Amino acid sequence: MLVGIYCAMRIFASVGRSSSRFADTVGFFSVDYLGRESRLWPVTFLYSIVTNDTMRVALHITLGTMAWAFLAYVVARKSRYPYFVTAVILLFGLSPQVTRFDLAILSESIGLSLLIICIATSIQYLATPSQRYLYVWIASLATFSMVRASQLVVLFIITAVSVIILVQRRTVRQTVFAVTLVILSLWAGIQLRNNRSMSELNLYTVLQE
């Protein structure tokens, strides 16, 4: 019920307002999985499937609702007051800092939703360690990290830590975990090298902010 109310309120926040394109929006319309286009693949992949701006706004709202609902579920199920915790988390998900990006045909809304999913899967895996949740966490980490070149540092740091742990504790699970992250980091490194000019611009923008 709370998730339904959240979704309705998020839709209401965009009703009667048109979507907005910006100078760099066109960069999200070309997909390349090796970083040879101006933008990395996660957002451009989704925009290549959803080609209408109105439907892209719907995509932002749907993905955002799923992300915040998942985070609320993961946190609330460990709480003595699940409804209160759910309401608080969903309320954060309705803040203007979140919903204002729904109408923008850029990477911010999708990137934020992927960040929330990554946080939720991290909590889920720490609470219930299993191979299934580990794979889901790796997928969410890689997808979030590859939204913008500046976010790849998260993947690189976690990969480095996993390799250090592997040297100290050579279990089968840790080996698979580390090798998977190394492969993803190599892929990310190729994208970063091919996307050098945009990567430097993104890093400069982050430093300025």
Side-chain angles (χ1 to χ4, degrees):
M1 179 179 176
L2 290 176
V3 174
I5 295 173
Y6 171 85
C7 184
M9 293 183 70
R10 191 152 177 174
I11 292 172
F12 180 76
S14 298
V15 169
R17 303 169 61 192
S18 59
S19 58
S20 301
R21 290 195 178 195
F22 299 85
D24 53 344
T25 294
V26 67
F28 294 99
F29 298 155
S30 300
V31 189
D32 188 275
Y33 300 99
L34 296 178
R36 291 169 295 194
E37 295 292 343
S38 61
R39 299 293 175 175
L40 302 186
W41 69 269
V43 176
T44 59
F45 169 72
L46 292 174
Y47 280 179
S48 71
I49 297 174
V50 183
T51 57
N52 178 275
D53 283 359
T54 301
M55 294 307 297
R56 286 170 179 149
V57 172
L59 171 66
H60 295 167
I61 294 172
T62 301
L63 186 59
T65 299
M66 292 172 59
W68 285 96
F70 181 38
L71 178 62
Y73 167 76
V74 169
V75 176
R77 68 195 296 252
K78 300 295 182 180
S79 172
R80 294 176 57 187
Y81 309 100
Y83 288 105
F84 175 75
V85 171
T86 298
V88 170
I89 291 175
L90 293 180
L91 189 61
F92 273 110
L94 283 175
S95 64
Q97 291 79 4
V98 174
T99 59
R100 66 177 180 174
F101 294 121
D102 286 343
L103 294 169
I105 309 303
L106 294 171
S107 63
E108 277 74 7
S109 180
I110 293 174
L112 180 57
S113 296
L114 291 175
L115 170 61
I116 297 302
I117 291 172
C118 187
I119 292 172
T121 54
S122 300
I123 296 172
Q124 179 68 39
Y125 177 68
L126 291 173
T128 313
S130 70
Q131 192 170 18
R132 179 182 63 179
Y133 289 136
L134 177 61
Y135 291 148
V136 173
W137 177 78
I138 290 174
S140 67
L141 169 67
T143 307
F144 158 71
S145 298
M146 294 180 188
V147 169
R148 298 180 68 180
S150 58
Q151 295 171 193
L152 290 174
V153 66
V154 178
L155 177 60
F156 294 150
I157 291 174
I158 293 177
T159 300
V161 171
S162 72
V163 171
I164 293 172
I165 294 175
L166 176 62
V167 173
Q168 300 173 344
R169 187 177 59 196
R170 297 182 180 180
T171 63
V172 174
R173 174 175 290 188
Q174 185 61 36
T175 300
V176 173
F177 176 60
V179 169
T180 302
L181 288 180
V182 167
I183 292 172
L184 288 171
S185 291
L186 290 174
W187 178 27
I190 292 172
Q191 296 180 67
L192 194 61
R193 183 190 63 187
N194 292 337
N195 195 255
R196 185 172 179 178
S197 60
M198 184 58 67
S199 301
E200 291 175 349
L201 177 60
N202 285 339
L203 180 59
Y204 174 77
T205 303
V206 171
L207 292 176
Q208 286 291 101
E209 293 175 351

